[in-house]
Amino acid sequence: MQGVAAVYLVTHVFLAGFVRTDIIALKRQGLDWGPTRHVWFAATLVLPLVAPAYYLYAGRRIERENERRGFGAGVGEDA
């Protein structure tokens, strides 16, 4: 049982580190969505499968911001 707990803890800390790094990078680029960034980070530490959900959410936020800033086609799209 200790092994399972250790894997769970390490996995969630590792994924939360990815989410935190991504949030910081997005904030540096001017995309800040307020206090919900703290909720995403905390949820990644505690709940399973939150990291993939975060990346789906962040992708939509990035697309909307790119459209707002006037950037045309995204990755893999024709202009």
Side-chain angles (χ1 to χ4, degrees), residues 65-72:
E65 184 66 19
N66 283 342
E67 288 173 4
R68 187 187 70 77
R69 291 181 183 183
F71 297 124

Side-chain angles (χ1 to χ4, degrees), residues 5-16:
V7 168
Y8 181 83
L9 178 68
V10 169
T11 301
H12 285 279
V13 169
F14 186 71
L15 291 174

Side-chain angles (χ1 to χ4, degrees), residues 14-58:
F14 186 71
L15 291 174
F18 275 143
V19 169
R20 183 174 187 280
T21 302
D22 190 58
I23 289 170
I24 290 170
L26 290 174
K27 190 174 179 181
R28 248 185 258 133
Q29 294 174 17
L31 181 64
D32 185 19
W33 55 78
T36 59
R37 69 183 185 273
H38 300 296
V39 173
W40 279 109
F41 175 69
T44 306
L45 278 172
V46 178
L47 301 170
L49 300 176
V50 171
Y54 162 78
Y55 281 106
L56 290 173
Y57 172 76

